[in-house]
Amino acid sequence: MSRAHYDLPLQQDRSAGFLILLTGLMTFLALATCAAALSLNALAFYWSSGLENNLSIEIPAERSKGGLRDAEEIQLLAERVDKALKQDTNVREIEILDQKAMNDLLAPWLGPQQNLAGAEDLPLPGLISVTLGHTDTDILSSLQERLKKIDADLRVDDHQEWLSGIIRLCRSLQVAAVVSTLVIISTTVIAVAGAMRARMEILRPDVELLHLMGAGDNYITAQFQRHALILSSKGAILGILAAAVVLCGLYFGIGTIPLADSMPEHGMLGMLLLMLLLLPLALCLISALAARIMVLRVLRAMV
Amino acid sequence: MIRFEHVGLRYGFGPEVLSDINFTLDPGSFHFLTGPSGAGKTSLMSLMYLGRHPTRGRITMYDQNVSEATRPQLAQMRQRIGVVFQDFRLLPHLSAFDNVALPLRIIGRPEKEIRAHVSELLEWVGLGDYQRALPPTLSGGQQQRIAIARAVIVRPRLLLADEPTGNLDDEIGLRLMNLFDQLNRMGTTIVIATHNQVLMDKFGHPRLLLEAGHLRVVRARGWIRRTMAEVL
């Protein structure tokens, strides 16, 4: 005669299927939200690393005192800037954008240059892309001082204004994703604990009988805890499978830029795999713990 | 073994169903608890099996004040009490075997030992062929025997039985009373709540007579004669 797994008929719970489904959905949502948070992190990393130590120097087409500069004047100014920058040992790379590069930059707005009549007469600024060995505010202000001596109209843009806004947005979305994950986990835990409490109320006469026979709180609680762990584990496995299918579809199918290009492949995949394992595990353990605490509270109200 | 001192019990704000109960059960004693219906027998039993706390007075069990015992201590005390409930209180989803095995599992006995003891006891109460049967498929008498087997399987120090022979025929009833007698001789303190005058007269143990919530200890008619015979 084999030993019954439960003294209490917990496995005869008809609402177990609903609880498994709910846990599965919540696990899926939590994983999807975490994946989104990781993607945002990767995106922020991609943007910030792409523009790190990079700055653009603009030679405006319009003089501050009035009047337009022609292409020849802009070219002359660019050469003077180039000469000045080359004397700086911190400067790693200088690229003066030629007409073709400027046309390529403007193509999304103005269309291909060959389709545009009189494009050569457009008052386009001169752009110089500079890569520094390292950068900080002192280096930047010193560089700006030197460039101002060449021409007061020269503008230095280290992209920080634009970049910090984007990164701030990413971080805000990440915080929202983390909060959402916590809400999802809390909801699941409350649902599991509530289901255990309802089950306990239904089985109260049986629980009282065990209690009267000398079953300690741990003996009774362990059965509910194990039941909650099994149900949430089943749900978590469903959620993991669903999330794995969707995330793999996104990763290999659409090939999101931040995931594919920015971070080392194994690093991102490793994080995703770790998350796929740890998040559902944490959810199951917290659910079992919540069931334990709830059952103990009810038991302690008994004589 | 167990001592009640000025114990009273009321349910909610209602009148006292038990008033100023005083008695002592010595280790190895055997008592019948009797009285008219509604006198409070089941309430007194529930105090004895630590199913509720008294509203006043003091209960001492195994030399320990029950109201001062911690939860683990109370659980340990209950493990040494066997109870046969009037309505049996079997777990309907568990087989006869698992119902009887339950107290052994609670105290953590090994499964091999459980298998041997439970099978033997079920054979003894005449349910050897019903080990896998679920209680709802069994008759009242069979369920009662399972309840009794469950109560005695751990050889409790105190056995409380509420009308244990009520649903049994005379022969099985007598066998079970002999089992209780045997347990009693091995040192188990026994209290049997019953209305069965014939049974009480036949076994002649002292009686705890409950009337309108008050308790009197009554020596059985044959008590002096039997004691004299034992002495002589």
Side-chain angles (χ1 to χ4, degrees):
Chain A
M1 202 155 304
S2 65
R3 181 182 173 165
H5 289 293
Y6 295 101
D7 298 328
L8 299 165
L10 292 169
Q11 71 276 41
Q12 294 171 9
D13 185 0
R14 286 183 185 166
S15 62
F18 165 75
L19 206 61
I20 291 170
L21 192 65
L22 179 81
T23 316
L25 281 171
M26 290 300 187
T27 307
F28 171 75
L29 283 176
L31 286 173
T33 312
C34 269
L38 277 176
S39 297
L40 285 169
N41 193 46
L43 199 61
F45 176 79
Y46 171 68
W47 280 328
S48 56
S49 63
L51 294 173
E52 197 178 17
N53 296 335
N54 278 307
L55 51 90
S56 301
I57 299 168
E58 182 192 348
I59 305 166
E62 191 178 0
R63 293 190 194 91
S64 56
K65 292 171 187 167
L68 293 173
R69 289 188 176 92
D70 56 22
E72 199 176 328
E73 188 183 348
I74 288 173
Q75 184 59 34
L76 277 171
L77 270 173
E79 282 167 12
R80 285 177 64 195
V81 169
D82 181 51
K83 197 175 169 185
L85 289 174
K86 277 179 177 158
Q87 289 167 2
D88 190 334
T89 51
N90 189 32
V91 174
R92 295 277 177 273
E93 199 178 322
I94 306 164
E95 184 191 357
I96 301 171
L97 271 67
D98 58 15
Q99 189 63 40
K100 186 182 174 303
M102 292 296 287
N103 290 345
D104 288 345
L105 279 176
L106 291 169
W109 287 272
L110 302 178
Q113 203 61 23
Q114 60 270 27
N115 298 342
L116 202 66
E120 314 81 54
D121 300 329
L122 279 173
L124 295 177
L127 285 176
I128 302 164
S129 174
V130 181
T131 305
L132 301 175
H134 60 276
T135 183
D136 58 35
T137 40
D138 290 341
I139 291 171
L140 276 177
S141 52
S142 145
L143 186 66
Q144 272 172 333
E145 286 293 317
R146 275 182 283 146
L147 292 173
K148 289 282 176 195
K149 283 178 190 164
I150 297 171
D151 190 295
D153 287 346
L154 291 177
R155 290 181 202 146
V156 178
D157 181 7
D158 62 355
H159 316 293
Q160 287 307 312
E161 198 178 327
W162 174 81
L163 194 60
S164 63
I166 292 288
I167 288 174
R168 224 177 7 251
L169 176 67
C170 275
R171 297 286 176 237
S172 307
L173 290 172
Q174 269 185 298
V175 170
V178 169
V179 170
S180 301
T181 308
L182 290 176
V183 169
I184 288 166
I185 291 173
S186 307
T187 309
T188 314
V189 168
I190 290 167
V192 171
M196 288 304 115
R197 188 186 179 95
R199 199 80 191 116
M200 180 135 185
E201 285 305 319
I202 292 167
L203 300 175
R204 197 178 183 91
D206 295 348
V207 171
E208 280 176 349
L209 180 69
L210 290 183
H211 188 62
L212 289 178
M213 291 167 81
D217 291 345
N218 279 334
Y219 183 90
I220 297 169
T221 308
Q223 303 198 23
F224 282 93
Q225 190 180 329
R226 191 172 58 208
H227 185 55
L229 189 63
I230 289 171
L231 290 188
S232 52
S233 299
K234 285 179 180 172
I237 289 168
L238 277 181
I240 289 173
L241 289 176
V245 168
V246 172
L247 291 179
C248 285
L250 283 173
Y251 190 82
F252 295 110
I254 299 171
T256 51
I257 292 166
L259 300 192
D261 298 346
S262 62
M263 290 185 78
E265 291 277 323
H266 62 275
M268 191 67 200
L269 276 175
M271 289 277 277
L272 269 172
L273 286 174
L274 199 66
M275 185 190 73
L276 276 172
L277 286 174
L278 286 185
L279 189 70
L281 185 70
L283 196 135
C284 293
L285 291 177
I286 296 170
S287 295
L289 188 67
R292 179 184 179 81
I293 292 168
M294 192 279 308
V295 173
L296 272 177
R297 277 175 62 186
V298 177
L299 281 176
R300 288 194 174 138
M302 290 181 184
V303 174
Chain B
M1 163 64 65
I2 183 165
R3 176 182 295 161
F4 276 50
E5 293 168 272
H6 309 292
V7 169
L9 177 70
R10 69 172 78 236
Y11 295 106
F13 297 104
E16 275 197 325
V17 291
L18 294 173
S19 299
D20 207 31
I21 302 288
N22 292 283
F23 70 89
T24 301
L25 298 180
D26 293 326
S29 63
F30 196 134
H31 288 80
F32 288 115
L33 174 63
T34 189
S37 296
K41 292 193 293 295
T42 303
S43 295
L44 183 58
M45 292 285 260
S46 71
L47 288 176
M48 284 197 271
Y49 62 68
L50 309 178
R52 59 180 79 248
H53 284 309
T55 39
R56 67 183 170 97
R58 173 192 171 106
I59 300 174
T60 310
M61 189 175 276
Y62 314 122
D63 299 322
Q64 184 165 16
N65 185 348
V66 167
S67 60
E68 288 170 2
T70 61
R71 289 183 68 78
Q73 284 172 333
L74 280 173
Q76 279 191 342
M77 284 183 190
R78 290 186 183 113
Q79 286 170 8
R80 288 180 263 170
I81 305 172
V83 188
V84 182
F85 297 96
Q86 194 170 14
D87 55 356
F88 320 138
R89 296 187 69 173
L90 299 174
L91 294 178
H93 59 281
L94 293 184
S95 66
F97 180 95
D98 286 326
N99 264 289
V100 177
L102 203 49
L104 293 174
R105 286 185 176 141
I106 286 172
I107 60 174
R109 290 285 169 82
E111 205 62 24
K112 193 177 169 186
E113 184 187 325
I114 290 173
R115 270 196 297 274
H117 285 191
V118 173
S119 296
E120 186 186 339
L121 189 56
L122 280 172
E123 288 285 349
W124 197 86
V125 296
L127 292 171
D129 295 334
Y130 295 91
Q131 297 198 20
R132 288 175 183 276
L134 294 177
T137 65
L138 299 172
S139 70
Q142 288 171 321
Q143 289 185 37
Q144 194 160 26
R145 277 181 274 164
I146 295 171
I148 291 166
R150 185 181 65 187
V152 301
I153 189 79
V154 285
R155 286 199 188 164
R157 287 173 66 180
L158 172 65
L159 179 69
L160 305 168
D162 202 350
E163 297 285 359
T165 56
N167 288 297
L168 304 178
D169 59 45
D170 288 349
E171 191 196 331
I172 295 279
L174 198 60
R175 276 183 71 185
L176 286 170
M177 282 306 296
N178 284 329
L179 168 68
F180 292 152
D181 240 7
Q182 250 179 352
L183 283 169
N184 180 236
R185 272 190 233 115
M186 288 162 69
T188 302
T189 308
I190 294 180
V191 178
I192 293 179
T194 184
H195 285 105
N196 191 330
Q197 194 64 44
V198 176
L199 193 79
M200 286 189 282
D201 286 342
K202 184 174 175 62
F203 284 86
H205 297 296
R207 297 169 197 183
L208 303 168
L209 179 62
L210 253 183
E211 283 175 319
H214 294 274
L215 187 85
R216 279 189 301 135
V217 182
V218 181
R219 295 293 173 201
R221 266 175 250 156
W223 180 75
I224 295 173
R225 194 174 59 238
R226 271 202 328 283
T227 309
M228 289 297 287
E230 277 172 18
V231 169
L232 293 171

